[in-house]
Amino acid sequence: MKKILILVLNVVWLCSNDSIDLPVGFSSSFEQIITNPKYKVIRYKGNVKFVYPSIMRWDYKEPTQKEVCSDGENVTVVDHDLEQVSIYYLNKKFDVAKILSKAKHYKDNIYIAKYQDKDYTIALDKLGRIQSMAYYDDMDNMVQIVFKKIRYKKR
């Protein structure tokens, strides 16, 4: 009974909340689904870690193994198949914390954020954690990232 009450209170809190509660960090497994304009689909799987405000590490396991690390300004890519490390400077910062802070409640557990002329659709799970994020990249690919086995660090 106590668990049901807590679940109901969480759902009521989520429905009344107009913004997303920003975590100071989270870790999760993920599936990244990229669909190009001709509907060709590429799926990646791995693990991700995020530390507030913009430090991220994506460990890709399938279909190839690589690590992508970013501080929001620079990206380092370790590609095991190519046996090389590449470092890039981002012209536009990818700031997850800012994207989440701009998110406005749309309906149910769905939020919409506009950041750097892109629209992000964010879905939360029943506990208010990020369940998925979708957007169109600069090459008109639809990108959807689904998070599973989420571990949140709250403030």
Side-chain angles (χ1 to χ4, degrees), residues 18-146:
D18 195 38
S19 63
I20 296 174
D21 188 22
L22 294 175
V24 293
F26 76 86
S27 62
S28 170
S29 62
F30 72 89
E31 181 175 15
Q32 183 177 15
I33 304 137
I34 301 172
T35 307
N36 75 11
K38 294 182 180 180
Y39 301 104
K40 181 179 177 190
V41 176
I42 302 171
R43 294 177 185 271
Y44 297 95
K45 292 183 180 182
N47 298 303
V48 62
K49 292 180 183 168
F50 165 76
V51 178
Y52 183 84
S54 59
I55 297 174
M56 296 195 79
R57 178 182 170 132
W58 299 83
D59 292 318
Y60 289 84
K61 305 294 183 200
E62 295 177 26
T64 62
Q65 184 182 3
K66 70 171 84 171
E67 288 88 35
V68 179
C69 302
S70 177
D71 61 1
E73 293 183 18
N74 298 296
V75 174
T76 302
V77 179
V78 179
D79 191 317
H80 295 274
D81 289 344
L82 298 177
E83 296 182 355
Q84 75 179 28
V85 175
S86 303
I87 300 173
Y88 305 94
Y89 175 76
L90 297 174
N91 291 332
K92 292 182 178 180
K93 292 183 182 182
F94 182 77
D95 192 330
V96 173
K98 281 191 180 174
I99 293 168
L100 295 177
S101 70
K102 291 179 178 289
K104 301 294 180 204
H105 186 253
Y106 175 66
K107 67 178 182 178
D108 300 327
N109 66 332
I110 307 296
Y111 289 74
I112 305 292
K114 188 161 193 78
Y115 179 71
Q116 294 181 345
D117 298 323
K118 284 191 177 88
D119 292 321
Y120 293 84
T121 303
I122 303 155
L124 303 183
D125 67 9
K126 292 178 182 178
L127 298 176
R129 302 173 304 187
I130 302 165
Q131 182 176 352
S132 68
M133 181 181 282
Y135 61 94
Y136 284 90
D137 67 13
D138 291 335
M139 296 179 288
D140 292 327
N141 296 313
M142 186 180 81
V143 179
Q144 181 183 23
I145 305 168
V146 178

